[in-house]
Structures are given as structure tokens and as C-alpha cells.
Amino acid sequence: MARKPSQPLDESEIHEKVVDIDVASEMEASFLEYAYSVIYSRALPDARDGLKPVQRRILYMMSDMGLRPDRAHVKSSRVVGEVMGKLHPHGDAPIYDALVRLAQSFSLRLPLVDGHGNFGSLDDGPAAPRYTEARLAASSMAMTTGLDENVVDFVPNYDNKLTQPEVLPAALPNLLVNGASGIAVGMATNMAPHNLVEVVSAAQHLIKNPEATLEDLQRFVPGPDLPTGGKIVGLEGVRDAYRTGRGSFRTRATARIENVTPRRKGIVVTELPYLVGPEKVIEKIADGVKAKRIQGVTNVQDLTDRTHGMRLVIEVKTGFDPDAVLEQLYRVTPLEDSFGINNVALVNGQPRTLGLVEMLRVWVDHRISVVRRRSQHRLDKRLERLHLVDGLLVAIVDIDEVIQIIRSSDDAGIARDRLREIFDLSEPQASYILDLQLRRLTKFSRIELEKEAEELRREIAELEQILGDEKLLRRIVSTEMGEVAKTYGTPRRTVLLDSAGGSVGSVAVAPANGRKKTVEPIDLQIKDLPTRVVLSATGLLARLPDDVPVSREGNRAAHDALRGDAAATTRGQVGLVTSAGRMLRISVLDLPSLPPTDGAPSLSGGIPVSELVELQPGETVRTVTGLGPDAPTIAVGTEQGIVKRIAPSDAPAKGDEWPVIGLKEGDTVVGAAVVSDDDELVFVADDSSLLHFPASTVRPQGRAAGGMTGIKLGPDRKVVFFGAVPSGVDATVVTIAGTGDALPGIEPGAGKVTPFSVYPGKGRATGGVRSQRLLKGEDGLILAWVGAAPPRALGAGGQPVELPEVDERRDGSGTPIAVPVAMIG
């Protein structure tokens, strides 16, 4: 008999419903389940696509909604609702937070969402999702392309009604490019962003050389590349992280000393450390000044805007050394911050701490799997289509009999069976014939089917070749990686410094009683010793002792190449010759000193030219030269073939800039070099003509003179290189041909390396000799270089690029280069 609700339980019923459990075991099991859920489903990224589950679901759902870059933005609330209702069984706040981070250019090196509206800043949060709009960024297409070709596995969603990808195809190395951060249970992850072009170059090298070491890969990936730029000071922690997966480095703001008023200097900050906002810096400076931990600062202004970008102006008191104040700010404010690397990611569902080699290998293996599965899917589809086309061709040949069979059959099933029996067709072929439209029975349709069958057989053969040849498969993967880097890659933003140099400290103290008290300043005087100033191909300037050789092998590991060097003294001055025909005077003391590294200096420790001088739009520095009465002459060559020699001893006593050549309208300086009468001056034009003649044939002229004809150019031709070869030096000629409108660093082109000695000299103002035979599709040279062997080529991000072997033929054709070359030194 059923018990009434108000009837109390009897003692036997109570005992039947009590279950004895061990509390410790139950807590342990529940905690492990919770920890696993947080680690696998929320906090840690997958090493293959670099995404957490919520990020992956956002990108997949936006792709499923058709929110491509060529479509209009939609409300962020709509995206959040779709993701929450179909794939992510959590609140809308964490989904929107993840969506916002995917759109922030200061958080990700390559944003994956194109946001419209207020998506926040380093100091303020974003607007509510009902006020912002979003769509996929162009880079996200590389993350999701191929999902309809069975390239990854799909798994059920939380209620088993829909499916979602277990991982995205990820043609971008997202884990390294955008980094990641997250806190799980008992572990956390914190990865730094990197440069796409550098990471892809390293991955391509790993594909070509599967046994590559960490040292090999660091030639391509020297360090992180942060979205906000700045500097990384000290690379030892970065190397530790690349080796073990754990390490730390210091990020430093990019700052320079400027005259903020006619009588007062200030510190202008143009780039802040990663994830540090200007308001946080201003607050810390104000607190430090109030607590008297910071001396010498009178005011701080945030002049940041969309036109000029970041600009934080810190005014310095009169009588204080701005360099000392800046060093003090680095010590006690977020202008210098630390970043701890902890490369924890999921590999095969298990959290692992990964070094650089392991992270690259996981992504490379994933891309190989994606391309293999894509090729197999395409092969299956084409085999299926070819099977149907073959059956249709059989039917068209005897179409009258086919029609008779169909008309005489009682139903479709009998007609299908009779067609299979009479024409030896499969069931799919017979069904396809029954679905045939009468308009496909023309003679033209048969020709189309035969062409389609031929094309399908050709594609099937290509796909079978890919699936049967592992080397070909890996080559295709490498090629696709290069295309992604070419499409979405950008130049490096963060400057890498091996060390920060010595601290200079403060020079004055203002005590609490208000009376001015002067302390003995730290001696900042540097002895006036002989030194050398070096200019790298990527535009970094530095000084080093005169007795330290600039080793080319040492620079090979320094992620840069040498463009020019000049003899000077520590407290002296040097000049920079620019493409606009200007000489800019700078103090050697303003340059960082490069300590020897394994017997050779690292050029990556230099300072960008843009931090020392104001350059006009499009203006670049061609070389560095000494100034003074004993300085040698310099030669400059222009795009229109003009050459001129000038003595730096003619420099004016006052002023920080003066002309070195009077340029004609539309002309520009393409090269400059320190020369003596025994040297050879060299011109290379874009029609591949090379001319060299003795420097003694060009007499020195005054500052405003316009020079004289150096090389005779054809119509619509221009000079792509000018330089000098010192007497007795073993020199090499490097030429790269391509299309006429290509810029250096954009098109790989065809390169050629030839000894300089095979080119005969000719008189000044002549046409020269051909240096490379142009092939079909090559309009001219896009890059050339002549200098001391061996040459070193660099990509747009400063990564080394392998050049072809030496070709002894003077006018031979070039060899295709795998990666675009942006500069040679």
C-alpha cells in the first residue's frame, strides 16, 4: 500500500536510503573531476591551434554564422548568445571577455576578431556587448578554412544535439604568434607573442630539417615580438624558456630625450611594456614623486592620440640629467616590467610544458595531418564523382536503350535493377542515371563529361601522388605556411637587447624641508677613447671599442647584418647619410656600447635610428661616417645615376644637419660609402647593368653641388644599388630579379651570387655590363648588393635568408629563392 505524504518514514525505510561513503575519497574524486574540467575545458590552450575551448567555439560559431571579413558586423550580443546557446554552457560574461581579447590589437600580435566599437584599452574595460559589433578578422579565415573537408575531428556539444570541431585547422601558428594566458587548478600558462614571419620561417626550417636543434631555430626566432613594441632587455631568460618552457624577461618602454620646451628637456615614451597602460605609469610616477622615491620629474602628460600613437611626455627638472631620471624611472615604475614565461599547453589532451622546438613540432605535425586528411577527402570526392561520370558516359552512349528500359519498367526500383544488370553499373551509378535531366542528353554534354572525367583523373593522380610521397606532402605544407606568412606577416615591432647596460642613478635630491640639497653626482663622464660606430641592415646603431673586430660569423648568430661602420671617439660625433641627401650629426655617447659576445659583438644590441634623429616620411639612413678634419671622403650615388664625392671635413661648425648633394626633383640617394682614391665605385641598375670605375675619377665637390653622371641609364630605368669596393678586397655581387613593380622583401625572385672580379671595369658615365640574364616574367632587378664576401641576406623581419651558391658566369640567369629578401649586408 502506498504511503501518504504526511505519513512519517519508519526506521527500516530510513536505513534503506542511507549510503555510507568515505568523505576523503569523495572529496578527492570530486576535486579531480573539477580540476580536469578546468584544465581541459576552460583554462589551457590546445598546442595545435593555440586556442582555449571558448575561443575556439567563438571562431567556429562566427564562421558558421557567415561573419566573414567581407560581411557586415553584427552585434556582439548575438555572437555571445549563439555561442552560449549552442556550444558553451557557461555565462555570457566569460564568452564576451574572450571575444573582446580576440579583437584587441594590444593583447594579440595578430587579432582574430574585427571589432567595431569600444573594445577597451589597457586602462579601461570594453563597452557592453549590446553596444559593440564584431566579425571575423582576415587572419581568422586561415584558422577555420578547411573545416568542411574533414581535416579535423568533430565532437558533440554539451547536450549532444550539435557537433563542434575538436581543434581548428589553424594555418597560423597561433600559440606562438598570439601567446596565451590562463590559470587552471594547480597550474597556469603564460606565453609571449611572437612574429608570424619569424615563426613560419622556423617551422619551414623544421619541416626541411626534422632534426633541427634549438640553436638552429633561434636563428629565425630570436625572441618574442610584443604587440605594443617596446624593448626586451636581456635574452638569457628567453633562451631558458625556449629550452625548458619556463623563463622570464624584462620589457622596457621605448623612450628618448627631447626638448619639450626651448629650455627644458623631457622624456618622451612612445612604446610601453606589454600589457602596461599609460594611466598605470602616470599613477606610479605621481606616487613616487609624492613619496620622494622619484626626483627630477615636474610633470607627466599623456598626449596619445590616433594620429601620432603613444606619446607620454615626462618633463625633467632643470639641473637633472634626463638619462639618470629615465634610469630611475625604469627601476621604480612600470616603464620596465617583467614577463614570466610558462609554456603550458594541452598535447593529446594532457597538459605539458613545452619548449620552442616542441611547440613548433606540434603545430607542424598538426598541419601535416590537416593537409593529409584534406587531400584524402578531396581524393574520395573526386573518385566518387568520377565513378558517377563514368556511369553517365555509358548511359549516354546507349541512351535509346536506357530510355526503353526505363519506360518498360513498372517502377524506379525495377528500372534501377535492370540498368545495373544490362550495363554492369553500380547502384549509385544507376540511381544517378535515373535522376538524369533530359537537357543533359545533348552531344555537347557528352563532350563536357569526357573533359570532366579527364580532369578528374588528372586531379586524382596528383592527390594520390601527394598521399604517397611524404616529402611532397611536407613541401606543400611548407609552401602553404609561406603563403600565410606573406599574407598576414608584419615587420618586427619589439627591439631585442642582450643587456640593459649599467645604471646611472639619480644626481640630485630634494629633501623634505624644502631646502635645496645637492649630493655628489655620479660620475657619468666617459673617457674619450677610439671607438667604432656600426650601422646594421635593420637600422640599428651602436658603438664598440676600436680593438673589437666586427666578426661576420658572430653577426650571423645576431639576427642582423652589417651595413656600415665608421671610426670615431667615444665623446666625438659621427654623421648619418640619408636617402634624402642629408647628413645628420649625432653624438657617439648617445649610442649603446656593444659588449663582445663569444668574441664578437651582437648587432641586436643597437638602438634604432628613429630614436636618435627625426627622419622624413620614407627617408632611410644609407651609411654612417666619421666627422672631423681627418675623416675620409664619402661617395653617394642616386637613383638617377648621379655620383658625388664630398669631404665630411667640410661639415659646418653649427647645426645638426646639412646637405651632401643637391638632388634633382624625384631623385633619391640609393647608396653611400666611405672611399679613397684606390677604391672602385659600383652602380647596379634595374636593367641588370653593372658599372664600376675608380673613385679617383670623381673629384670631391662642395656640400650644395649636384654631382656628376655616374652611369648612363636607359629610358625609365633606375639605379638599385650604389657602393664601393676597397682595393684588394675579395668582393661579391648579389642580384635578385623579379617583376618590375615588386619591392624588396615582398617577392622572393631569382637570385644570383657572382665574384666581383668577373665584371670588367668601364669608364664613368657609360652603360656598364650585364650582371644577370633576365628570364620570362622578370622585368628587372628588385635588389642588388656589392661588397666584401661573404654576403648575408635578411628577410623583412631580420631573419636570415639562404642565398644561392656562387655562379662564376657573369651574365647567367638567377636561381629561385624560397623566401623574399629585404636587405643584404
Side-chain angles (χ1 to χ4, degrees):
M1 182 176 66
R3 182 178 59 86
K4 296 180 180 179
S6 59
Q7 183 179 350
L9 292 171
D10 105 37
E11 190 174 346
S12 62
E13 289 179 318
I14 294 175
H15 285 300
E16 288 177 1
K17 295 184 179 295
V18 174
V19 179
D20 291 329
I21 61 172
D22 181 63
V23 176
S25 299
E26 180 67 19
M27 290 293 292
E28 181 179 349
S30 299
F31 181 78
L32 288 176
E33 290 180 6
Y34 166 72
Y36 177 78
S37 174
V38 172
I39 291 171
Y40 184 75
S41 301
R42 297 178 69 176
L44 298 184
D46 192 297
R48 293 169 292 180
D49 61 5
L51 297 172
K52 300 178 185 180
V54 63
Q55 296 171 328
R56 186 179 305 113
R57 290 162 181 166
I58 289 171
L59 296 182
Y60 171 64
M61 185 52 62
M62 292 181 73
S63 175
D64 190 62
M65 295 168 64
L67 303 181
R68 295 186 294 274
D70 57 346
R71 302 291 181 85
H73 294 79
V74 302
K75 285 290 185 182
S76 299
S77 296
R78 181 180 169 190
V79 177
V80 172
E82 289 287 321
V83 174
M84 181 172 60
K86 294 182 178 180
L87 302 179
H88 198 67
H90 300 283
D92 57 343
I95 298 175
Y96 185 55
D97 289 343
L99 174 66
V100 166
R101 188 177 187 277
L102 290 174
Q104 290 175 336
S105 59
F106 54 83
S107 295
L108 301 188
R109 186 62 177 80
L110 192 64
L112 300 176
V113 170
D114 178 14
H116 185 218
N118 179 14
F119 274 78
S121 67
L122 288 166
D123 296 308
D124 297 311
R130 62 183 178 273
Y131 298 122
T132 61
E133 298 177 341
R135 65 182 177 188
L136 290 176
S139 54
S140 288
M141 304 310 296
M143 295 290 294
T144 58
T145 298
L147 283 173
D148 57 344
E149 294 186 286
N150 192 33
V151 295
V152 295
D153 294 332
F154 276 70
V155 296
N157 70 333
Y158 63 90
D159 60 1
N160 292 319
K161 292 181 179 179
L162 301 171
T163 59
Q164 59 185 335
E166 182 184 44
V167 65
L168 294 185
L172 292 171
N174 184 61
L175 185 67
L176 275 163
V177 171
N178 283 326
S181 63
I183 300 175
V185 179
M187 63 184 65
T189 184
N190 199 36
M191 302 187 186
H194 289 76
N195 185 274
L196 173 63
V197 176
E198 296 175 359
V199 174
V200 167
S201 297
Q204 289 177 317
H205 182 78
L206 188 62
I207 291 175
K208 187 177 180 181
N209 305 278
E211 302 302 323
T213 63
L214 176 61
E215 289 72 21
D216 296 333
L217 298 180
Q218 279 193 267
R219 290 180 56 213
F220 302 93
V221 185
D225 187 22
L226 307 176
T228 53
K231 303 173 184 175
I232 292 179
V233 181
L235 300 180
E236 193 59 37
V238 174
R239 298 186 186 104
D240 290 340
Y242 286 166
R243 184 172 57 255
T244 65
R246 296 178 184 271
S248 65
F249 60 84
R250 287 179 295 152
T251 59
R252 174 174 282 190
T254 299
R256 61 175 179 265
I257 309 301
E258 289 185 3
N259 287 323
V260 295
T261 67
R263 300 183 61 182
R264 176 171 293 178
K265 287 187 176 292
I267 301 167
V268 178
V269 180
T270 56
E271 293 175 350
L272 288 174
Y274 184 43
L275 300 181
V276 173
E279 289 187 10
K280 182 179 180 181
V281 174
I282 294 173
E283 180 183 355
K284 289 292 184 181
I285 292 177
D287 292 343
V289 171
K290 188 180 298 183
K292 295 184 171 48
R293 292 193 305 271
I294 297 176
Q295 292 85 36
V297 175
T298 60
N299 189 27
V300 183
Q301 288 182 304
D302 184 6
L303 303 181
T304 303
D305 57 35
R306 294 186 178 182
T307 304
H308 302 94
M310 166 63 62
R311 186 173 175 85
L312 196 64
V313 179
I314 304 171
E315 295 185 11
V316 179
K317 284 183 181 180
T318 304
F320 282 76
D321 184 356
D323 294 304
V325 174
L326 177 59
E327 192 67 27
Q328 184 184 44
L329 294 175
Y330 282 145
R331 293 200 306 268
V332 299
T333 72
L335 287 180
E336 184 173 291
D337 201 7
S338 62
F339 186 95
I341 301 176
N342 189 21
N343 295 332
V344 179
L346 296 175
V347 179
N348 297 325
Q350 301 296 322
R352 286 181 53 192
T353 303
L354 306 173
L356 177 64
V357 178
E358 291 80 7
M359 286 189 287
L360 283 171
R361 186 164 284 131
V362 169
W363 181 63
V364 167
D365 292 343
H366 175 57
R367 287 304 302 168
I368 291 174
S369 171
V370 166
V371 175
R372 181 182 288 112
R373 291 182 59 164
R374 184 187 67 195
S375 301
Q376 185 63 55
H377 175 81
R378 293 176 178 178
L379 176 61
D380 295 341
K381 288 292 185 181
R382 280 154 180 76
L383 287 172
E384 180 182 349
R385 176 60 184 170
L386 180 61
H387 183 64
L388 297 178
V389 171
D390 286 340
L392 196 56
L393 285 171
V394 171
I396 288 180
V397 171
D398 296 319
I399 191 63
D400 294 334
E401 186 176 355
V402 170
I403 294 174
Q404 181 60 35
I405 291 172
I406 295 173
R407 291 186 61 187
S408 61
S409 300
D410 293 337
D411 54 41
I414 296 174
R416 184 184 301 107
D417 293 339
R418 291 179 64 190
L419 287 173
R420 293 181 60 187
E421 180 181 352
I422 295 174
F423 293 101
D424 193 21
L425 300 174
S426 66
E427 183 172 347
Q429 286 176 323
S431 299
Y432 189 67
I433 291 172
L434 287 175
D435 296 336
L436 185 68
Q437 297 177 340
L438 292 178
R439 62 183 177 87
R440 298 296 304 274
L441 302 181
T442 63
K443 180 179 180 181
F444 182 70
S445 294
R446 178 180 176 182
I447 296 174
E448 284 183 332
L449 288 172
E450 290 175 347
K451 287 183 178 179
E452 182 182 359
E454 182 180 354
E455 180 69 16
L456 287 171
R457 290 188 178 90
R458 184 187 63 79
E459 294 176 355
I460 288 170
E462 291 177 355
L463 292 169
E464 288 177 340
Q465 184 180 7
I466 293 172
L467 292 170
D469 188 345
E470 185 69 17
K471 290 184 178 179
L472 178 59
L473 177 66
R474 297 174 75 90
R475 189 158 61 245
I476 291 174
V477 172
S478 179
T479 301
E480 292 182 358
M481 288 179 178
E483 292 173 353
V484 168
K486 182 178 179 181
T487 303
Y488 305 110
T490 55
R492 166 171 281 274
R493 299 176 185 172
T494 302
V495 176
L496 304 178
L497 304 176
D498 275 334
S499 63
S503 172
V504 296
S506 58
V507 297
V509 175
N513 59 15
R515 293 185 179 180
K516 202 169 187 180
K517 178 183 177 182
T518 304
V519 299
E520 191 66 26
I522 298 175
D523 185 11
L524 299 178
Q525 300 296 317
I526 301 175
K527 293 182 180 179
D528 196 19
L529 299 175
T531 187
R532 297 177 68 190
V533 175
V534 293
L535 172 66
S536 77
T538 55
L540 300 178
L541 277 167
R543 57 185 168 91
L544 65 154
D546 189 55
D547 57 350
V548 176
V550 182
S551 168
R552 297 182 188 280
E553 289 304 315
N555 290 335
R556 184 173 298 279
H559 203 66
D560 211 332
L562 189 67
R563 174 175 289 178
D565 68 298
T569 61
T570 311
R571 302 185 64 82
Q573 297 174 331
V574 292
L576 304 178
V577 182
T578 74
S579 58
R582 298 193 299 161
M583 177 81 80
L584 305 177
R585 192 200 313 261
I586 62 171
S587 173
V588 178
L589 277 176
D590 292 336
L591 305 179
S593 178
L594 297 183
T597 303
D598 296 332
S602 169
L603 295 183
S604 62
I607 186 172
V609 172
S610 59
E611 294 192 18
L612 296 171
V613 294
E614 291 288 340
L615 296 176
Q616 300 169 0
E619 184 180 17
T620 57
V621 174
R622 297 305 187 190
T623 194
V624 58
T625 180
L627 298 177
D630 299 329
T633 62
I634 59 171
V636 295
T638 74
E639 192 175 66
Q640 297 179 4
I642 302 298
V643 65
K644 180 186 176 183
R645 286 181 67 184
I646 184 173
S649 58
D650 293 339
K654 297 182 179 180
D656 292 333
E657 67 170 270
W658 62 93
V660 294
I661 184 173
L663 292 174
K664 297 179 181 178
E665 184 177 356
D667 203 2
T668 181
V669 174
V670 297
V674 176
V675 297
S676 63
D677 287 344
D678 296 333
D679 297 343
E680 288 284 308
L681 301 182
V682 187
F683 278 95
V684 182
D686 60 356
D687 62 355
S688 89
S689 59
L690 182 150
L691 173 67
H692 68 91
F693 50 86
S696 57
T697 61
V698 181
R699 68 182 185 279
Q701 296 177 308
R703 294 196 301 267
M708 59 189 70
T709 302
I711 182 174
K712 186 177 180 181
L713 297 174
D716 298 326
R717 289 298 179 179
K718 63 182 180 180
V719 173
V720 294
F721 172 82
F722 171 80
V725 175
S727 176
V729 170
D730 181 19
T732 300
V733 177
V734 180
T735 53
I736 300 177
T739 55
D741 56 351
L743 296 175
I746 301 299
E747 178 183 327
K752 177 172 169 282
V753 180
T754 313
F756 177 70
S757 58
V758 304
Y759 296 94
K762 300 182 73 175
R764 182 182 60 81
T766 59
V769 296
R770 188 167 66 178
S771 61
Q772 179 172 337
R773 187 171 73 252
L774 302 178
L775 303 178
K776 184 178 180 181
E778 297 174 352
D779 299 337
L781 299 184
I782 57 177
L783 193 64
W785 179 86
V786 182
R792 183 160 189 241
L794 304 175
Q799 73 277 12
V801 177
E802 188 174 351
L803 290 172
E805 298 294 330
V806 175
D807 187 351
E808 298 288 343
R809 299 175 300 166
R810 176 173 62 81
D811 61 347
S813 58
T815 302
I817 300 177
V819 180
V821 176
M823 59 199 86
I824 305 174

